Amino acid sequence: MTGVGRRTLLRTGLLAGGAGVGALAVSRLSDATSAPSRADEEPPPPAHPATMPFRGPRQAGVTDDPQPFAAFVGLDLPAGATKDTCRRLLRVWTDDIDRLMAAKAPLTDLEPELAEVPSRLSITLAVGPGFYDAAGLVPHRPSWLAPLPSFTIDRFDGHWPQTDVLLQIRADSPVAVAHAQRRLVVGAEPLAVQRWVQRGFREPLTSSRPGMPFRNLFGQVDGTVQPRTDGADDALVWLGADGAPAPHGLAGGTALIIRRIAMNLDTWDRADRVARENAVGRRLGSGAPLTGRLETDQPDLRAEDELGFPVIDPVSHMRRAMPAAPHERILRAPYSYDEAPTGRQRSNSGLVFVSYQADPLRQFLPIQRRLAEADLLNVWTTPISSGVYAVLPGALPGEDLGAALLA
Ligand code: HEM
């Protein structure tokens, strides 16, 4: 098979169900030039489509299974930005994102080959409070689109402040993430300027056990109790899905909260397994509640041990994070980070905690308040930054992202 033929197959996504499957397919095709045996077999069908749809009423990257690599990029509009600046920015990005997600190079791409490997790339665009200021839309700003109140556990160091715009870039390949990030940031200048980047990772979908999508760097199964993503819990996530009017221009969007939370692996190393499991209320191995056997078992909050103490500690993370009312539920898609330690640090690790919810004030805030008041996990974790963004609705064919907001 010629190089061109191989590239075409990859580009159309026929072979590449992800970086791993794609690589396997290529090596089999290379063998095919000499030996017709196994290479003639159909490659296994990809577990996930190799590209994600961009056009539609909702953006990708919210209720989809999180890809293993992510970059969250905070950008600010320039001083003096106006509604026209916002409109031009969203026009440039809409075209670039449309192409990148389809595994096609943006018009100005100097490394088009990097864009042409389908890697289940999703790029999700969200705006912060400053975007509303620049666009002259302050009266339309939802009440939740503002910094969260400060909590006693917060120790922000100023490195990842709230920005006017957020790009969430996720893919099966770190190359696809890095390339998309660079193209979008360079393509946006001078309409927006990058302030920070937070990179994260999680296990590839193919390597995680079914029902155990993510283990954080404490080794905990993280992401067990979640709203359903098959449509049944849409009202918890998507604006306007509950039938009530959505904030101006945001029907089909959602609210995104991003908090960088340092996890002290050195002091965690000193905690024994009992203390570790007690801190969350779940077993490290199976992710099951301490009163159950399976990850999916319902926790029994009334169960007591032989001394009469509750088996699930009332200040365990799970107990404190549980909804006190049915609407207090959020969709979490955290990523681990593990950066080069600085100074005397041995590790610089934690969670880029990301959640989506229709109303942060009703859904997220009560949970975060409880966790700040009391949560055994706080012994080892420290929030070091926080941001709140409105994920824009999707772009229909011929439309730019944010069209309804800026109309
Ligand atoms: C480094 C910080 C954090 C770590 C390591 C962590 C870890 C975990 C783990 C292991 C679980 C149990 C399994 C599961 O259901 O996913 C859990 C549950 C949960 N966490 Fe966290 N978490 C962190 C921060 C947060 C924050 C900031 C929030 C929201 C304010 C949050 C909200 C929740 C919720 C809602 C649940 C499900 C509770 C339930 O209904 O059972 N977590 N977390």
Side-chain angles (χ1 to χ4, degrees):
M1 182 173 288
T2 66
V4 172
R6 208 178 305 158
R7 259 207 310 278
T8 310
L9 279 174
L10 283 170
R11 204 171 20 230
T12 50
L14 286 173
L15 296 180
V21 178
L24 183 67
V26 170
S27 75
R28 283 191 184 173
L29 284 169
S30 309
D31 295 347
T33 48
S34 49
S37 56
R38 291 200 56 188
D40 289 339
E41 294 168 14
E42 285 291 305
H48 291 86
T51 58
M52 303 192 54
F54 169 63
R55 297 282 173 186
R58 293 170 179 167
Q59 290 194 72
V62 175
T63 43
D64 309 297
D65 288 340
Q67 302 90 319
F69 300 97
F72 299 87
V73 187
L75 302 101
D76 277 337
L77 300 167
T82 62
K83 194 174 198 167
D84 185 53
T85 319
C86 299
R87 201 171 267 136
R88 283 193 290 147
L89 175 67
L90 297 192
R91 168 139 307 163
V92 170
W93 270 347
T94 299
D95 191 53
D96 287 354
I97 294 173
D98 194 0
R99 286 168 187 271
L100 283 164
M101 283 180 59
K104 293 185 187 133
L107 292 178
T108 55
D109 201 337
L110 298 175
E111 297 88 20
E113 295 79 6
L114 293 181
E116 290 170 1
V117 183
S119 312
R120 227 162 56 86
L121 175 70
S122 69
I123 300 162
T124 316
L125 180 58
V127 298
F131 187 91
Y132 279 74
D133 294 331
L137 288 170
V138 173
H140 291 300
R141 182 160 63 206
S143 52
W144 48 258
L145 189 55
L148 295 171
S150 54
F151 303 99
T152 48
I153 50 171
D154 294 349
R155 299 283 180 273
F156 296 172
D157 60 10
H159 277 95
W160 300 276
Q162 173 77 52
T163 54
D164 299 336
V165 190
L166 178 83
L167 286 169
Q168 173 192 283
I169 306 170
R170 310 194 311 200
D172 286 343
S173 144
V175 178
V177 171
H179 177 65
Q181 177 195 328
R182 165 120 186 112
R183 286 284 44 100
L184 293 169
V185 167
V186 172
E189 285 169 358
L191 303 170
V193 177
Q194 179 176 293
R195 284 292 293 276
W196 47 253
V197 181
Q198 300 194 45
R199 292 219 167 81
F201 57 87
R202 39 196 295 148
E203 291 93 341
L205 291 167
T206 43
S207 77
S208 51
R209 286 188 277 159
M212 280 196 191
F214 176 62
R215 273 185 194 274
N216 61 42
L217 292 177
F218 282 166
Q220 302 159 335
V221 179
D222 195 340
T224 301
V225 178
Q226 294 269 47
R228 284 170 56 179
T229 51
D230 59 359
D233 285 330
D234 271 5
L236 288 170
V237 178
W238 297 107
L239 290 160
D242 60 354
H248 167 80
L250 290 183
T254 180
L256 182 157
I257 294 181
I258 176 167
R259 283 172 73 78
R260 191 173 181 88
I261 306 178
M263 293 167 44
N264 192 329
L265 299 186
D266 291 334
T267 52
W268 182 252
D269 274 353
R270 297 203 281 273
D272 64 19
R273 207 158 170 100
V274 175
R276 291 171 171 211
E277 295 190 332
N278 196 47
V280 177
R282 287 183 173 270
R283 298 201 190 286
L284 286 165
S286 59
L290 292 179
T291 53
R293 209 171 48 80
L294 302 175
E295 188 193 356
T296 46
D297 285 348
Q298 280 298 319
D300 177 358
L301 302 176
R302 299 217 183 113
E304 294 179 344
D305 64 15
E306 57 284 3
L307 297 173
F309 291 111
V311 177
I312 294 178
D313 197 309
V315 286
S316 62
H317 180 72
M318 175 183 73
R319 179 69 191 93
R320 298 292 290 171
M322 276 179 178
H327 62 264
E328 287 180 14
R329 293 162 63 206
I330 55 178
L331 180 64
R332 294 169 286 139
Y335 280 81
S336 292
Y337 73 84
D338 187 38
E339 305 290 348
T342 54
R344 293 168 62 95
Q345 280 181 328
R346 273 171 77 206
S347 63
N348 179 2
S349 312
L351 216 58
V352 182
F353 174 93
V354 178
S355 70
Y356 311 93
Q357 50 276 297
D359 186 342
L361 302 182
R362 288 186 79 231
Q363 296 169 245
F364 178 91
L365 203 52
I367 305 172
Q368 182 61 84
R369 280 211 176 100
R370 280 198 299 278
L371 296 181
E373 272 166 24
D375 171 6
L376 288 174
L377 218 50
N378 292 343
V379 171
W380 300 278
T381 61
T382 311
I384 52 178
S385 80
S386 174
V388 183
Y389 297 88
V391 172
L392 298 174
L396 297 174
E399 218 181 58
D400 289 340
L401 284 163
L405 183 63
L406 296 175

